[in-house]
RNA sequence: GAGCCUGUAGCUCAGUGGAUAGAGCACCUGCCUCCUAAGCAGGGGGUCGUGGGUUCAAGUCCCGCCAGGCUCACCA
């Protein structure tokens, strides 16, 4: 399809050169899609450009360009300044079914890093937004022909893990064995840790000395080889497996779990540290200095134009107690991802995961059966609140002389998920959240906080969606066996959740409202799935009636029947033409809602057609066969796009 | 204080400088003897926060202002 439109651009460029003696390159000619089907299948406003260059009326320019032949185009109409293309429909169907040929420049390896949940508590709905965006980005990139590696970074040595370990040791008085036993109890361990972690602020506030426990524990975890360290490792790996299970319920998986502890164990940080010192990117503040950062290694940013206006722009990379901050570790990780570190991890199969997945390990644990990292392009899916830090990491790459790598590393930022105050009020009434400040409740939404326990847990939302879906299925078909109800409910729940998250543009704060998330009607995932199911129903019914469905690969049938198809049917197929453009634009702008909403628009058009144009009841055989062929093409294209791009499956029945 | 983001229908949100500003929810009216109504058709509802500017053309670009959110730690 891309090739088809490329050929149009070239032909238009040549025609304009000949007709007006002015040069407009093929790359400067925009091919768009008209707002209404009557205006054709594709359009260009190049006449405006020509008119401006030659000082003439755009409509006149359009009428002079109009007279030319374009591949698979039956006719071109000049409508005022717009040139509208009407395709040779039977020929165009061939292009649609061929799919998207990858462009040659697309072969480079792309790494997408997403999810990255601190392994100290259950995942909440904010993490769902990250994972769904990340996973959809991966699918979009693959759709466009890229080789993609998906990494879920595990910060197993950070303060967050230390906090939960402190809670286990100091509040509950647990040793390793007790923690392990807790994990075997019926209550999900991630939920247990969620509740325990929410107790940490009170513990730290109770006595200033308690804060020392945090750093002692952090240190012990980084050193390893102690009971405290074993608890830390156990908690982190158990949490990772909980998170993998949660995301797997949505069909979201990863290729590799890079662990922060392995960045330290494999000397990645040491290598990065020397690179930083050698390039003079960081400097040591003597312990006897008056500076409040004395004893630390800092990155000087105060003279940097990018960081103007900050009262104190310098950033600590190594703390005065010798431990590395997140920045240092992330910089080392970024360098490795971009193939600029000159070191590699060892790799082993991750234990206890719900499916086979690789994790990093000390390099001496054997040669890697697979090679990871070294991406030409890296997407870091991280919410907007970390923009400042991401900017510093990027600046670090530049200070190391890695300008090109800094350009190839993209922060895919998106706004947070907050809780709508309407929803919070409901939860308070039901006693599921503690009473909140009236001043906060006057706002439209409140930011979530794992520390305060003010958040909605991902699994609880998925459970609620599954329950809702089960109820709907049982209402419609009470005889359905329980196993089938569960399977179908899971598929519906997944679609509802993904669409609910994807329909927002990335800079929009999602003020979470359970009722909206639980909706299966209107602009929702199940509505889109229903279009797919309905197409399938027609084909199934046709077979039951002994009606022969023309094959989509039968060129002769396509050439004979497509011209008999009504305009409405064709209009729906024509919507698939724009999919590759929508997807590449979505990736370029990092606005994945474009893809989701485009699928919704197609579903909407199909539902309308379904009512307007009965297929099996149509008496005229030519028309009936044409519609059957259309349904068959639609079913295939729609189901494929839905699965490949959004990871939404089509249930057998609804 | 500085930086980033947001402001479009009662509510939640879409909206490539281009064709009559859209969708869902809610509300009202119709449509199940019909390929399953998780659906369809129709209706009411808009100073696109505000004031300037650029342009043949501005919800969209630029500047000011107003309102709200996030960020600016030896936490990540």
């Amino acid at each position: 399809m891309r090739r088809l439109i490329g050929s149009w651009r070239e032909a238009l460029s040549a025609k304009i050169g000949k007709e007006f003696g002015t040069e407009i390159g093929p790359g400067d000619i925009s091919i768009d899609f008209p707002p209404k089907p009557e205006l054709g299948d594709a359009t260009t406003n190049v006449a405006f450009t020509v008119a401006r260059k030659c000082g003439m009326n755009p409509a006149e320019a359009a009428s002079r360009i109009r007279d030319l032949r374009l591949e698979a185009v039956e006719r071109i109409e000049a409508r005022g300044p717009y040139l509208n293309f009407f395709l040779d429909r039977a020929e165009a169907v061939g292009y649609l079914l061929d799919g998207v040929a990858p462009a040659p420049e697309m072969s480079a390896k792309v790494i997408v890093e997403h999810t990255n949940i601190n392994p100290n508590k259950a995942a909440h709905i904010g993490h769902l937004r990250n994972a769904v965006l990340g996973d959809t980005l991966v699918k979009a990139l693959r759709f466009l022909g890229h080789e993609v590696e998906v990494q879920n970074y595990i910060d197993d040595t950070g303060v967050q893990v230390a906090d939960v370990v402190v809670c286990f040791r100091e509040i509950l008085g647990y040793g390793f064995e007790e923690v392990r036993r807790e994990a075997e109890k019926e209550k999900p361990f991630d939920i247990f840790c969620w509740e325990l972690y929410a107790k940490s602020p009170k513990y730290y506030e109770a006595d200033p000395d308690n804060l020392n426990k945090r750093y002692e524990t952090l240190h012990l975890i980084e050193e390893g080889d102690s009971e405290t360290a074993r608890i830390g490792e156990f908690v982190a790996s158990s949490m990772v497996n909980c998170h993998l299970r949660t995301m797997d319920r949505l069909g979201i998986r990863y290729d590799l779990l890079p662990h922060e502890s392995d960045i330290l164990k494999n000397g990645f940080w040491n290598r990065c540290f020397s690179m930083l010192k050698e390039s003079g990117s960081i400097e040591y503040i003597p312990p006897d200095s008056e500076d409040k950062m004395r004893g630390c290694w800092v990155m000087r940013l105060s003279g940097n134009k990018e960081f103007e206006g900050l009262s104190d722009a310098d950033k600590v990379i190594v703390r005065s107690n010798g431990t590395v901050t997140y920045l240092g570790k992330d910089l080392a990780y970024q360098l490795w991802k971009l193939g600029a570190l000159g070191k590699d991890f060892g790799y082993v199969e991750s234990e206890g995961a719900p499916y086979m997945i690789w994790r990093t390990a000390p390099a001496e644990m054997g040669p890697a059966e697979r090679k990871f990292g070294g991406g030409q392009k890296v997407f870091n899916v991280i919410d907007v609140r970390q923009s400042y830090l991401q900017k510093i990491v990027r600046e670090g790459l530049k200070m190391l002389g890695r300008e090109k790598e800094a350009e190839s590393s993209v922060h895919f930022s998106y706004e947070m998920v907050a809780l709508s105050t309407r929803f919070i009020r409901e939860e308070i009434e039901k006693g599921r959240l503690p009473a909140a400040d009236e001043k906060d409740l006057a706002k439209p939404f409140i930011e979530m906080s794992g520390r305060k326990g003010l958040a909605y847990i991902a699994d609880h939302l998925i459970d609620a969606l599954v329950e809702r879906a089960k109820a709907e299925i049982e209402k419609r078909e009470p005889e359905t066996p329980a196993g089938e109800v569960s399977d179908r409910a899971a598929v519906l729940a997944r679609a509802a959740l993904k669409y609910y998250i994807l329909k927002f543009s990335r800079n929009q704060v999602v003020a979470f409202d359970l009722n909206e998330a639980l909706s299966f009607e209107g602009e929702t995932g199940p509505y889109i799935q229903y279009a797919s199911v309905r197409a399938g129903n027609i084909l199934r019914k046709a077979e039951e009636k002994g009606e022969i469905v023309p094959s989509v690969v039968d060129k002769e049938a396509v050439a004979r029947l497509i011209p008999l198809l009504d305009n409405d049917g064709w209009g729906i197929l024509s919507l698939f033409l724009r999919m590759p453009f929508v997807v590449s634009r979505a990736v370029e702008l990092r606005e994945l809602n474009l893809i989701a909403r485009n699928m919704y628009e197609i579903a909407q058009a199909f539902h309308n057609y379904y009512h307007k144009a009965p297929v099996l009841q149509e008496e005229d055989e030519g028309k009936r066969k044409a519609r059957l062929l259309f349904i068959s093409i639609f079913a295939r294209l729609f189901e494929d796009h839905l699965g490949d791009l959004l990871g939404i499956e089509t249930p057998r029945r609804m």
Side-chain angles (χ1 to χ4, degrees):
Chain A
M1 255 180 283
R2 224 196 306 261
R3 197 186 57 74
L4 178 63
I5 290 183
S7 83
W8 295 350
R9 287 197 172 116
E10 273 168 33
L12 280 163
S13 175
K15 170 78 178 178
I16 290 163
K18 220 169 84 188
E19 185 73 28
F20 304 96
T22 180
E23 174 116 7
I24 296 177
D28 297 324
I29 296 175
S30 81
I31 303 291
D32 300 299
F33 299 97
K36 283 181 296 185
E38 308 91 88
L39 300 173
D41 303 309
T43 185
T44 180
N45 59 7
V46 73
F48 283 105
T49 317
V50 173
R52 193 171 50 246
K53 275 197 160 184
C54 304
M56 61 163 56
N57 181 338
E60 192 200 327
S63 69
R64 280 172 62 187
I65 303 167
R66 195 191 74 92
D67 178 31
L68 88 160
R69 282 279 318 151
L70 294 177
E71 193 176 347
V73 173
E74 188 191 79
R75 65 177 203 281
I76 302 172
E77 279 181 10
R79 186 167 167 123
Y82 295 98
L83 286 165
N84 296 335
F85 304 160
F86 294 79
L87 299 189
D88 177 316
R89 297 176 177 182
E91 203 180 336
V93 164
Y95 286 99
L96 280 173
L97 292 169
D98 279 349
V100 187
E105 74 272 16
M106 296 282 177
S107 51
K109 176 173 175 179
V110 181
I111 293 176
V112 176
E113 175 199 338
H114 69 83
T115 305
N116 302 10
I117 309 169
N118 275 316
N120 70 334
K121 58 172 187 305
H124 61 58
I125 52 177
H127 302 122
L128 287 180
R129 189 175 192 184
N130 186 300
V132 169
L133 286 174
D135 187 58
T136 307
L137 173 66
V138 168
K139 290 184 159 67
L141 288 164
R142 289 189 175 142
F143 180 86
L144 295 173
H146 290 279
E147 180 199 342
V148 186
E149 182 174 299
V150 192
Q151 301 188 2
N152 176 4
Y153 181 74
I154 310 298
D155 180 3
D156 56 344
T157 58
V159 176
Q160 325 273 359
V161 175
D163 283 339
V164 179
V165 175
V166 168
C167 291
F168 270 116
R169 302 228 73 170
E170 306 301 323
I171 297 178
L172 299 177
Y174 278 16
F176 178 80
E177 265 314 304
E178 282 120 323
V179 176
R180 201 186 51 74
R181 254 181 306 202
E182 192 62 59
E184 282 168 5
K185 290 188 185 162
E186 200 183 332
K187 182 176 193 145
F189 192 46
D190 57 343
I191 306 289
F192 182 88
C193 290
W194 174 276
E195 288 163 4
L196 184 61
Y197 179 55
K199 292 182 179 150
S200 71
K202 252 196 187 146
Y203 170 78
Y204 289 131
E205 280 161 27
D207 183 348
D209 269 357
N210 288 349
L211 215 52
N212 295 332
K213 288 283 175 198
R214 174 190 249 185
Y215 292 101
E216 276 170 31
T217 304
L218 186 62
H219 219 85
L220 286 168
I221 288 175
E222 283 194 11
E223 274 178 354
D225 260 351
S226 63
E227 181 163 25
T228 298
R230 279 171 64 211
I231 294 174
E233 277 165 34
F234 179 79
V235 167
S237 67
S238 305
M239 282 314 109
V240 168
N241 289 330
C242 289
H243 298 157
L244 291 178
R245 261 190 294 279
T246 301
M247 296 311 169
D248 197 35
R249 295 178 78 184
L250 303 175
I252 298 172
R253 294 190 174 193
Y254 316 87
D255 298 318
L256 177 71
L257 304 173
H259 280 60
E260 192 162 276
S261 55
D262 292 318
I263 285 182
L264 299 171
K265 285 180 199 161
N266 281 307
F268 279 25
W269 163 242
N270 286 341
R271 169 72 59 94
C272 179
F273 194 24
S274 340
M275 286 165 84
L276 286 165
K277 283 190 276 196
E278 276 164 31
S279 64
S281 309
I282 55 173
E283 64 182 272
Y284 186 62
I285 313 285
D288 53 0
S289 124
E290 291 297 302
D291 198 305
K292 64 179 178 181
M293 292 173 187
R294 57 182 175 270
C296 299
W297 284 89
V298 302
M299 191 184 277
R300 284 271 183 235
L301 296 168
S302 40
N304 193 312
K305 260 206 162 134
E306 294 271 316
F307 295 86
E308 268 175 5
L310 290 169
S311 54
D312 203 349
D314 299 341
K315 288 299 292 188
V316 172
I317 303 294
V318 180
R319 302 182 187 101
S320 53
N321 68 4
T323 55
V324 195
T325 61
Y326 155 84
L327 273 170
K329 290 181 272 196
D330 198 42
L331 192 52
Y333 175 45
Q334 291 293 336
L335 285 167
W336 169 78
K337 277 198 289 188
L338 292 157
L341 188 72
K343 279 179 96 73
D344 199 3
F345 293 105
Y347 302 101
V348 295
E349 287 185 25
S350 193
E351 274 174 47
Y355 50 92
M356 198 319 255
I357 180 168
W358 295 97
R359 61 156 289 170
T360 54
E364 61 272 17
M365 287 191 64
E369 292 174 55
R370 284 196 57 177
K371 180 104 182 79
F372 293 98
Q376 304 288 111
K377 175 127 189 156
V378 173
F379 287 96
N380 308 292
V381 183
I382 308 174
D383 84 54
V384 70
R385 289 170 293 184
Q386 300 217 37
S387 295
Y388 175 66
L389 286 168
Q390 283 300 304
K391 198 172 159 183
I392 296 171
V393 170
R394 208 182 153 86
E395 197 55 36
L397 287 174
K398 286 189 193 159
M399 289 169 99
L400 286 170
R402 296 292 186 169
E403 294 280 340
K404 211 183 91 216
E405 282 81 0
E407 288 307 310
S408 310
S409 176
V410 178
H411 175 199
F412 186 119
S413 83
Y414 62 93
E415 261 293 354
M416 63 175 169
V417 180
L419 298 177
S420 80
T421 35
R422 189 171 35 194
F423 171 63
I424 291 177
R425 279 176 198 279
E426 283 172 19
E427 291 292 287
I428 291 172
E429 242 169 66
K430 290 174 191 159
R432 285 193 285 222
L433 283 177
D437 211 34
E438 267 309 311
K439 214 172 71 197
D440 284 341
L441 289 174
K443 297 183 204 163
F445 56 81
I446 302 177
E447 187 177 3
M448 288 195 291
S449 163
R451 293 190 71 110
K452 292 180 192 160
L454 181 69
Y456 198 75
I457 291 171
D459 276 315
H460 292 170
L461 175 58
I462 302 173
D463 291 345
L465 284 158
V466 169
E467 284 315 305
R468 171 78 214 282
K470 279 185 182 168
E472 292 293 325
I473 294 165
E474 276 158 4
K475 195 170 79 190
R476 288 174 173 77
E477 295 177 36
E479 305 301 314
T480 318
E484 201 188 318
V485 171
S486 298
D487 290 351
R488 268 156 61 186
V491 170
L492 289 174
R494 203 181 286 184
L497 178 54
K498 284 191 164 177
Y499 194 85
Y500 173 72
I501 289 171
L502 283 172
K503 71 176 179 179
F504 295 94
S505 57
R506 69 189 168 93
N507 284 328
Q508 189 68 234
V509 174
V510 174
F512 178 78
D513 187 294
L514 187 61
N515 292 328
E516 283 170 22
L518 283 180
S519 170
F520 289 177
E521 284 164 23
E523 193 186 342
T524 64
Y527 172 96
I528 298 174
Q529 286 174 309
Y530 194 36
S532 205
V533 169
R534 279 181 146 175
N537 285 347
I538 297 172
L539 297 176
R540 197 188 59 237
K541 208 73 174 202
E543 265 179 48
E544 281 170 18
K545 287 177 110 180
E547 178 99 48
I548 291 163
V549 180
S551 164
V552 298
V553 291
D554 180 348
K555 290 232 158 69
E556 185 277 323
V558 170
R560 181 167 46 84
L561 292 171
I562 288 296
L564 300 177
L565 179 64
D566 39 281
N567 283 333
D568 290 327
W570 167 254
I572 293 168
L573 290 185
S574 140
L575 292 176
F576 286 100
L577 280 172
R578 57 188 75 176
M579 219 60 220
F581 298 88
V582 170
V583 177
S584 42
R585 195 176 157 72
V587 169
E588 195 185 321
L589 299 177
R590 282 162 266 149
E591 287 292 8
L592 303 176
N593 69 328
L594 294 175
I595 300 173
R597 290 197 183 255
N598 208 256
M599 290 306 290
Y600 170 69
E601 271 177 41
I602 296 175
Q604 210 174 24
F606 184 78
H607 280 304
N608 170 288
Y609 185 84
Y610 181 90
H611 284 270
K612 210 163 49 181
V615 178
L616 301 176
Q617 274 74 26
E618 175 56 50
E619 309 227 321
D620 180 289
E621 194 184 337
K623 272 191 193 168
R624 188 174 68 248
K625 292 291 185 199
R627 282 182 190 167
L628 266 174
L629 176 62
F630 158 68
I631 298 293
S632 169
I633 297 169
F634 172 84
R636 184 161 140 180
L637 289 175
F638 196 71
E639 193 175 330
D640 285 355
H641 281 83
L642 205 48
D644 293 348
L645 287 167
L646 302 179
I648 292 178
E649 300 133 287
T650 298
R652 280 184 302 283
R653 297 173 64 80
M654 270 182 86

